[in-house]
Amino acid sequence: MEISTVKIGVLLIRFAAGGNLLIHGLARLGNGTVADFDVYLSSLGFPPFTAWAITIFEIAASIIFIYGKWVIPIAIIFCLELLMGIILVHYPEGWFVVGAGRNGMEYSVLLIICFVCSGLFAKGK
C-alpha cells in the first residue's frame, strides 16, 4: 500500500497543529496557570471555570484530532478558540510574536490555516 505525499503532508499538518494545541493545554496545566487564566477570562465576563473547560478540551480534543477522529468539528472549535485569542489578546499586540513585536497574532493565524487544511482534507472523519 502506497501513501501519497499529499496524505503525508496532510498528516504532518494535522499532527503539528494538534500537537501544538495539546502542548498548549498541557503547559497551562503543568505550570499551574489555569486558575490565573480563569481569573483573566472572568474579568472579561466569561463564566467561572471557562479556563478549565478550554484546557481540558485542548488536551482531550488534540489527542482525538491527532488520531484522526472528529477532525472537522474539532478543527472548527480550535479555529474559533484561536480566533477569540486573536481578538482578545494578540490583535492589539500586532502581527509578530517575537522580534519585530511581542505576543502578536502570526502564530495563531498559522495554526488556524493548519486546522482549516486539516478539516478540508478530512473527508468527514
Side-chain angles (χ1 to χ4, degrees), residues 16-91:
N20 273 279
L21 265 288
L22 174 62
I23 292 167
H24 198 257
L26 289 172
R28 190 181 307 115
L29 188 63
N31 291 332
T33 58
V34 181
D36 296 336
F37 184 38
D38 206 51
V39 168
Y40 170 72
L41 291 176
S42 293
S43 76
L44 298 175
F46 288 90
F49 304 108
T50 299
W52 282 101
I54 291 170
T55 302
I56 292 166
F57 181 80
E58 282 179 351
I59 294 167
S62 292
I63 294 167
I64 295 165
F65 183 83
I66 290 167
Y67 187 68
K69 300 296 180 188
W70 302 338
V71 171
I72 293 171
I74 291 171
I76 291 168
I77 294 168
F78 278 153
C79 285
L80 292 172
E81 176 189 344
L82 290 161
L83 183 59
M84 287 303 298
I86 289 171
I87 292 167
L88 296 173
V89 177
H90 303 294
Y91 179 77

